[in-house]
Amino acid sequence: MIPLVQIDNLTVSFPIGRRVFGPPPMLKAVKGVSLSIPKGSFVGLVGESGSGKTTLGRAILKASPISEGKITFDDGTRRYDIGTMSKAQERDFRTQAQLIFQDPYAALSPRMTVRDIIAEPLELLGITNTREDTDARVREIAGKCRINLEHLRRYPHAFSGGQRQRISIARTLAAGPKLVVADECVAALDVSIQADILNLLKQLQRDLDLTYLFISHDLSVVAHVCDYVAVMYLGEIVEEGPTRQIFANPQHDYTKSLLAAIPSLDPDQRSRVVQFERGTVTVEG
Amino acid sequence: MSLLTVQDLTIRFKTDEGLITAVEDVSFDIEPGEVLGLVGESGSGKSVTAKALMQLNGWNTVYDPASKIILHGDPDVDVLSLRRERDMLPIRGGQISMIFQEPMASFAPALTVGKQMVEQLQIHTKMSKAQAKELSIEMLDRVGITEPARRFDQYVFEYSGGMRQRAMIAMALTTKPRLLIADEPTTALDVTIQRQVIDLMKELITDFGMSILFITHDLGVIAQTADRVAVMYLGRILEKGPVRDVLRTPAHAYTRGLLNALPDLDNLDAPLTPIPGDIPSPLERPAGCVFHTRNAELAPGSRYETEVPPMSEVRPGHFAALFPEDV
């Protein structure tokens, strides 16, 4: 079976500062990563801050530079080579792959109504042509994301964190993408709301036939929603496999130390952290 | 005897939209050498409660006249009755210290860490500069910072996230406070670093014998650190008691809801159960039990919709905001 997204040997580097002579030193945020995301899967990408998980997610959406390697998106009818897309292809690709942001307080413009927020991608990407079409599409997607249709005329400040994240998800899904990159999309939410948003993502996956790349630092959340997990550390994927296998039988020391560090809800149960020598991200040049 | 007694604490804020109640009728004690966990979601009033202990809330804060925060000692002091900054000084940073969620924001960026540690010691103790420096370096070493003498002369941006939080803890402890308030001290940290900071704090409790008020939204962190826990929602304590008792046999529907909403690593097939509804706006506080609007266990027309339930003792030392017939 052809994966929806295939990443081969991807490296993303960023220059650090400038030099008068010669190229500046480069920081390799992602180093030689290969990963395939099958169609209809819920793939988790876990790691601590600085592990390169966000950079990898952004590279798939052509939002970070691809230094080496190749990313291809293929849904059977369309095929894009992310690194070498033309402007027209890129515009087309935007309707196929979208991002859900972490902080629903920062992601929504306070000056736009909920209806306009959800309608913006439809208008920008030229998906709907008339106002009636746009409104119909907005109402359809808002209903799917369990947003009260009465609320479409209000501004974001009137909503709680959970409601805002639902609006943010509706905006992401408005253009009808096949692939959704969710970058820490529940990290800023309270636990009682977090469960609601995770259930909604699962429901939408069934309804709209979505494929997710779910980026998170929280292993217990990943364990619950993802069917495949990749663990990143210092720009490399150190371990990957089906969720159950990774959680039942972690192989890499880093995965073990991550799992052991999760505070247990039982006050009398306390696993020792596996000793793990931390490294640093390499800078070359 | 308790170290600190908080009695009927009610805090309101003056805003353009009128008075907003942030904390209502909150009472608890902290015993010497005890870790009291204060859990709640955003907007539950846990930070406002903690800041009140040092009068750190803003100018628009109104404390209800019946509210009392008594720091027991020789003599007892009612913190809320202190009006002058001069009187607050021995308490703020002396008897009570506080560490915050974001250590980068708590240090001044343009002064070395050492200079800031020495400065606060000179304010709160009669130490000379040399003594203060010696104690600070000793404390940095104690919290597990390698090469403390070199680190003493560095700036915060040269520290890693975990190291910054350790330095904060070191700084808060040099004045030997009787109570340490830790406001989400591990929330911004990665899990492996979080575990190290939790371990460090537990060691320090044994070494220094101080009390800690530990504020967090993470029940797992509470389970690993606290002796007793108080669960807050919309400014009220809904349940409090020994940590094992509360987490294993929660009496209040809100505590049960919080525990059910957490992903369980031991049972990956269990569905995630959110608490129904959204947190009401502080401008529209529900009458009766503040949680009744989201409590699916209540029958329509129950007493909880109109009357505020008292704190009833469920088991020895374990209280919940329930009417006696439901205990």
Side-chain angles (χ1 to χ4, degrees), chain A residues 192-253:
Chain A
S192 67
I193 301 156
Q194 171 180 302
D196 180 48
I197 296 293
L198 292 173
N199 290 341
L200 176 66
L201 289 178
K202 275 281 189 195
Q203 179 68 42
L204 290 168
Q205 182 181 33
R206 285 190 289 270
D207 290 357
L208 302 170
D209 192 20
L210 300 173
T211 303
Y212 286 105
L213 178 65
F214 188 84
I215 302 173
S216 177
H217 70 281
D218 189 335
L219 283 118
S220 41
V221 167
V222 167
H224 265 266
V225 294
C226 298
D227 29 61
Y228 193 88
V229 181
V231 183
M232 275 192 91
Y233 178 64
L234 298 181
E236 289 172 78
I237 291 181
V238 293
E239 186 165 6
E240 61 178 296
T243 308
R244 269 155 212 285
Q245 190 188 314
I246 295 274
F247 282 85
N249 189 15
Q251 296 299 314
H252 196 276
D253 278 351

Side-chain angles (χ1 to χ4, degrees), chain A residues 13-285:
Chain A
S13 341
F14 295 101
I16 309 171
R18 279 189 211 171
R19 289 253 178 91
V20 180
F21 299 107
M26 299 294 277
L27 179 129
K28 284 192 176 178
V30 175
K31 291 186 278 198
V33 164
S34 299
L35 179 71
S36 48
I37 304 175
K39 197 158 190 256
S41 62
F42 210 127
V43 175
L45 192 58
V46 292
E48 295 182 288
S49 40
S51 61
K53 54 190 193 306
T54 294
T55 309
L56 178 59
R58 294 175 69 101
I60 296 172
L61 299 171
K62 202 172 191 289
S64 25
I66 298 170
S67 312
E68 280 167 51
K70 194 173 173 181
I71 305 175
T72 44
F73 176 98
D74 189 348
D75 71 344
T77 52
R78 302 168 217 233
R79 191 165 188 282
Y80 306 95
D81 182 341
I82 311 294
T84 57
M85 281 189 293
S86 67
K87 278 277 174 223
Q89 274 183 316
E90 194 180 325
R91 194 183 162 90
D92 205 27
F93 176 64
R94 294 272 171 248
T95 65
Q96 299 297 308
Q98 286 282 344
L99 176 71
I100 304 176
F101 292 95
Q102 170 173 2
D103 186 352
Y105 287 85
L108 307 177
S109 165
R111 289 165 172 268
M112 289 165 83
T113 62
V114 173
R115 183 254 168 218
D116 290 345
I117 287 171
I118 301 174
E120 196 178 31
L122 294 171
E123 287 159 356
L124 283 179
L125 294 167
I127 291 167
T128 51
N129 295 315
T130 61
R131 199 178 159 88
E132 286 70 41
D133 277 1
T134 312
D135 277 338
R137 179 87 186 118
V138 167
R139 296 176 84 84
E140 184 197 335
I141 201 74
K144 285 215 165 72
C145 295
R146 299 205 305 271
I147 296 166
N148 188 338
L149 296 182
E150 304 275 298
H151 290 169
L152 289 176
R153 267 174 295 161
R154 298 200 196 165
Y155 289 87
H157 71 86
F159 298 100
S160 67
Q163 288 169 315
R164 279 172 197 242
Q165 195 58 293
R166 287 205 284 272
I167 297 168
S168 177
I169 291 172
R171 175 185 164 98
T172 301
L173 299 179
K178 301 278 188 311
L179 172 74
V180 173
V181 177
D183 191 357
E184 297 277 10
C185 71
V186 294
L189 303 176
D190 282 318
V191 277
S192 67
I193 301 156
Q194 171 180 302
D196 180 48
I197 296 293
L198 292 173
N199 290 341
L200 176 66
L201 289 178
K202 275 281 189 195
Q203 179 68 42
L204 290 168
Q205 182 181 33
R206 285 190 289 270
D207 290 357
L208 302 170
D209 192 20
L210 300 173
T211 303
Y212 286 105
L213 178 65
F214 188 84
I215 302 173
S216 177
H217 70 281
D218 189 335
L219 283 118
S220 41
V221 167
V222 167
H224 265 266
V225 294
C226 298
D227 29 61
Y228 193 88
V229 181
V231 183
M232 275 192 91
Y233 178 64
L234 298 181
E236 289 172 78
I237 291 181
V238 293
E239 186 165 6
E240 61 178 296
T243 308
R244 269 155 212 285
Q245 190 188 314
I246 295 274
F247 282 85
N249 189 15
Q251 296 299 314
H252 196 276
D253 278 351
Y254 180 65
T255 318
K256 287 180 193 164
S257 72
L258 271 183
L259 279 169
I262 300 172
S264 165
L265 267 180
D266 184 346
D268 295 322
Q269 191 195 69
R270 189 186 171 290
S271 42
R272 274 305 304 182
V273 179
V274 182
Q275 280 306 316
F276 182 76
E277 197 62 46
R278 303 182 76 82
T280 47
V281 182
T282 47
V283 176
E284 288 174 9

Side-chain angles (χ1 to χ4, degrees), chain B residues 220-260:
Chain B
V221 173
I222 285 289
Q224 294 300 318
T225 49
D227 300 310
R228 281 193 309 138
V229 59
V231 182
M232 281 187 87
Y233 177 78
L234 270 187
R236 277 187 174 271
I237 291 182
L238 295 184
E239 183 159 6
K240 63 181 173 185
V243 75
R244 284 175 180 75
D245 213 15
V246 172
L247 292 182
R248 284 180 191 157
T249 47
H252 200 282
Y254 178 61
T255 318
R256 280 198 294 275
L258 273 184
L259 285 165
N260 287 337

Side-chain angles (χ1 to χ4, degrees), chain B residues 93-106:
Chain B
Q95 299 216 50
I96 305 179
S97 276
M98 187 158 178
I99 55 176
F100 299 90
Q101 177 175 349
E102 203 20 90
M104 192 67 194
S106 307

